[in-house]
Amino acid sequence: MDFTLTDDQTAIVELAARILGDRCSPEALAAAEAAGDRFDPELWRLLAEADLLGLVLPEADGGGGYGVLEAALLCQEVGRTAAPVPLWSTLMLGALPIAQHGSDALKAKVLPAVARGELVLTAALVEDGGSLPPDTPATTATPDAERPDHVLLSGTKHVVPSVHLAESGVAVRVLVPAADAEGRVVVALIDPTSAGVSTSRNVGTDLEPVSTLVLRDAPGRLLGAPDDGAAVVRTIASLGTAGICARQAGTCEAALRLAAAYTSEREQFGTKIATFQAVAHRLADAYIDTEAIRLTSIHVAWLLAEGLPADEALAVAKIWAAEGGQRVVHGAQHVHGGIGVDTDYPLHRFFRAAKAAEHTLGTASPHLVALGGRIVGAA
């Protein structure tokens, strides 16, 4: 494939980079972190006003008609700036799956609100004991006797991103996989502030708030037909993985840029340390890893956008994002020396973000197992 961006895609990236870059100074990021929610509502509003939230949605639903690849490019810019906005969860875990599987009525209700920046979306995929969606969720779904397209959900979900924003009055909706009485997987959209839902806030590796959801007959509106639930979960997991890999590419590029700038100025023995062979080799290795993360993430986003088989490419991209990402940020820390671990210096944000991305939707290990299984199965 040709990895060259089109003129429109280049314009989207430049616009996102300008808006995010203007708002995400180290001082602004520190203020957002100190506020607790790690959310900049003004930045979210600016992204919506620039149509960067809606442009990836179908034109029939009020969007700009772009798609997965452009959403991945936006995730990359969010990673590059450590922007405190729920773009990954809203677009990759919520809006694009709903655009693909939702009824016309559901899409008409949800997607325009996303484009206007009035609704944050996310998905509750993780249950006890794993970081990937289980094949058969322990969370149960029983029919809602009063509404045929609704179910009542009971169970517990962990490490759910963005739900905490509902505590601050932000409109949030959550996609929740569950199993019905026949063992089929269904997916329902819930309001985390509705009766039957309780949330408790935790902290992720990157200090980002993540929540535990406890559901007791919580009402949820079905997404897709009951027999389509497993396919909906695969869509959410695939788009989420592609998005987190793209975000990791931006994170690593930012960490590498900081390392290059620092070593070009820092001197030892009267010489810039970037000229030391060991430092140059470390940065060159980090550059190769970063390029591999970027290219594999764009590749898988393009496959998903084209509707082509992407299971192997998803595994490859996540393995690079997890293992290559940790090599990049560790290398960036290494060449900085002691200042690299100072939380007043911006590198720590990218280190934490890379570690969080490494563990989101599976570390390298389960993806290596899946990839190896596919190779053996095809032999």
Side-chain angles (χ1 to χ4, degrees), residues 5-13 66:
L5 300 184
T6 65
D7 290 344
D8 285 354
Q9 290 165 344
T10 300
I12 291 168
V13 169
Y66 292 93

Side-chain angles (χ1 to χ4, degrees), residues 115-341:
R116 294 192 298 270
E118 298 171 354
L119 180 63
V120 168
L121 299 176
T122 185
L125 301 175
V126 176
E127 297 186 341
D128 285 337
S131 57
L132 292 169
D135 292 336
T136 303
T139 300
T140 60
T142 57
D144 186 333
E146 299 180 356
R147 294 175 292 183
D149 61 342
H150 283 63
V151 291
L152 301 175
L153 301 167
S154 295
T156 302
K157 299 287 187 179
H158 298 285
V159 200
V160 185
S162 305
V163 169
H164 67 284
L165 296 175
E167 300 170 11
S168 301
V170 177
V172 178
R173 295 293 183 273
V174 189
L175 288 172
V176 181
D180 67 9
E182 300 176 25
R184 298 176 301 181
V185 177
V186 300
V187 178
L189 186 69
I190 70 164
D191 178 349
T193 64
S194 63
V197 183
S198 62
T199 64
S200 57
R201 184 187 296 211
N202 307 295
V203 178
T205 307
D206 53 356
L207 305 183
E208 187 81 20
V210 289
S211 300
T212 296
L213 263 65
V214 178
L215 311 170
R216 296 185 179 89
D217 290 334
R221 183 173 181 171
L222 286 169
L223 175 62
D227 290 333
D228 295 338
V232 175
V233 174
R234 283 196 298 273
T235 297
I236 299 171
S238 297
L239 292 170
T241 302
I244 208 69
C245 293
R247 202 174 74 182
Q248 185 78 316
T251 297
C252 290
E253 287 183 18
L256 181 58
R257 189 167 59 247
L258 280 173
Y262 179 78
T263 57
S264 298
E265 298 174 357
R266 180 82 166 91
E267 292 187 2
Q268 280 288 353
F269 314 114
T271 304
K272 308 291 186 188
I273 64 172
T275 62
F276 295 169
Q277 189 177 54
V279 173
H281 283 185
R282 195 77 196 257
L283 294 181
D285 286 340
Y287 174 78
I288 293 168
D289 278 329
T290 300
E291 279 298 280
I293 296 166
R294 187 180 67 83
L295 294 175
T296 53
S297 66
I298 290 176
H299 179 218
V300 74
W302 176 79
L303 289 173
L304 292 170
E306 296 295 318
L308 296 172
D311 288 347
E312 293 177 7
L314 273 167
V316 171
K318 191 60 170 69
I319 292 163
W320 272 107
E323 295 191 339
Q326 69 89 17
R327 286 195 296 267
V328 172
V329 294
H330 275 85
Q333 285 277 9
H334 192 185
V335 300
H336 271 84
I339 194 175
V341 297

